[in-house]
Amino acid sequence: NLSIGANSVSDISGNNGPSTTTTASAVTIDNGPPIAVLTPATLKNSQSATVRLNKLGVVYLVKSTVSVATESDITSAAGNTWNSVNVTATDSDTSLSLTGLVDGTYRAYGVDAQNRLSVVSTTSVSVDTTAPSAPVSVVLDSSSDTGTSSSDGITKDNTPTIRIVASENGGTVTVTASRVFQNDVVCTVTGSTVGSTCDLSSIVDGVWTLSAVQTDAAGNFSTSVTGSMSIDTVGPTVSGVSTNSA
């Protein structure tokens, strides 16, 4: 039988063995494949997505049309359907450039130092480089039109309501009223294909040109559509009355 002490060993007869030294070793516990996190957004390919990884490694941003089971499925796909970034700090926001990517929906995958591939991110980024079409129309709204008809573009309302029909829903439509020697007056509204309205602040009498431009969620902007309106807040005057006697 042996008796083992903290730093020595001896047998039943009392013979001592060589002294021993215990050395502690660090143990790293790896809890499996990495987890990639992607901040959802709609962006142009001149911008960057924001990603995170819970381990050091690489994050890939991959078009949803690419079938991914291994890292090589990503790197062998067309170059305009994926980009990547090295992650040098865990669980920290990292910018991933969208340069060169075609329009579409993208999701993130992570690969750690052991070359293990994460599951796909639960969120996505839309790459959008296509400008919306110009709005369909921009006119003085019938609620503000006080002319001889409700659609003649004439009003005595100097804070008029403008109606815009957009080419697509969403984004922001910016309406600008302009006139020579006057400052532009602007209002904005969310784009709607069935029409939406916004109110201009106080403007002076005269004929004003209206223009409308739509900007989408990625910041692409359309060409403009134009219209016009006439503001007249001054009533007629009577210079005199004449009568004819029989």
Side-chain angles (χ1 to χ4, degrees), residues 174-201:
T174 301
V175 176
T176 303
S178 57
R179 184 170 182 262
V180 177
F181 305 124
Q182 299 293 327
N183 292 328
D184 289 349
V185 183
V186 176
C187 65
T188 59
V189 67
T190 300
S192 170
T193 57
V194 298
S196 52
T197 60
C198 64
D199 296 330
L200 294 170
S201 58

Side-chain angles (χ1 to χ4, degrees), residues 29 39 44 47-48 68 93-94 100-101 105 107-108 176 201 208:
I29 298 175
T39 300
K44 293 189 283 189
Q47 299 175 292
S48 296
V68 177
D93 286 348
T94 302
L101 296 182
T105 301
R107 294 183 182 273
T176 303
S201 58
W208 290 75

Side-chain angles (χ1 to χ4, degrees), residues 39-54:
T39 300
T42 299
L43 302 165
K44 293 189 283 189
N45 62 7
S46 58
Q47 299 175 292
S48 296
T50 300
V51 297
R52 286 184 170 222
L53 197 66
N54 65 333

Side-chain angles (χ1 to χ4, degrees), residues 121-183:
S121 63
T122 58
T123 54
S124 64
V125 159
S126 294
V127 175
D128 179 7
T129 61
T130 304
S133 299
V136 176
S137 61
V138 55
V139 297
L140 179 67
D141 189 65
S142 59
S143 65
S144 284
D145 197 315
T146 60
T148 55
S149 78
S150 62
S151 60
D152 60 9
I154 300 173
T155 183
K156 63 181 180 181
D157 181 0
N158 68 350
T159 57
T161 298
I162 308 302
R163 181 173 181 80
I164 313 96
V165 177
S167 60
E168 63 181 54
N169 293 317
T172 301
V173 177
T174 301
V175 176
T176 303
S178 57
R179 184 170 182 262
V180 177
F181 305 124
Q182 299 293 327
N183 292 328

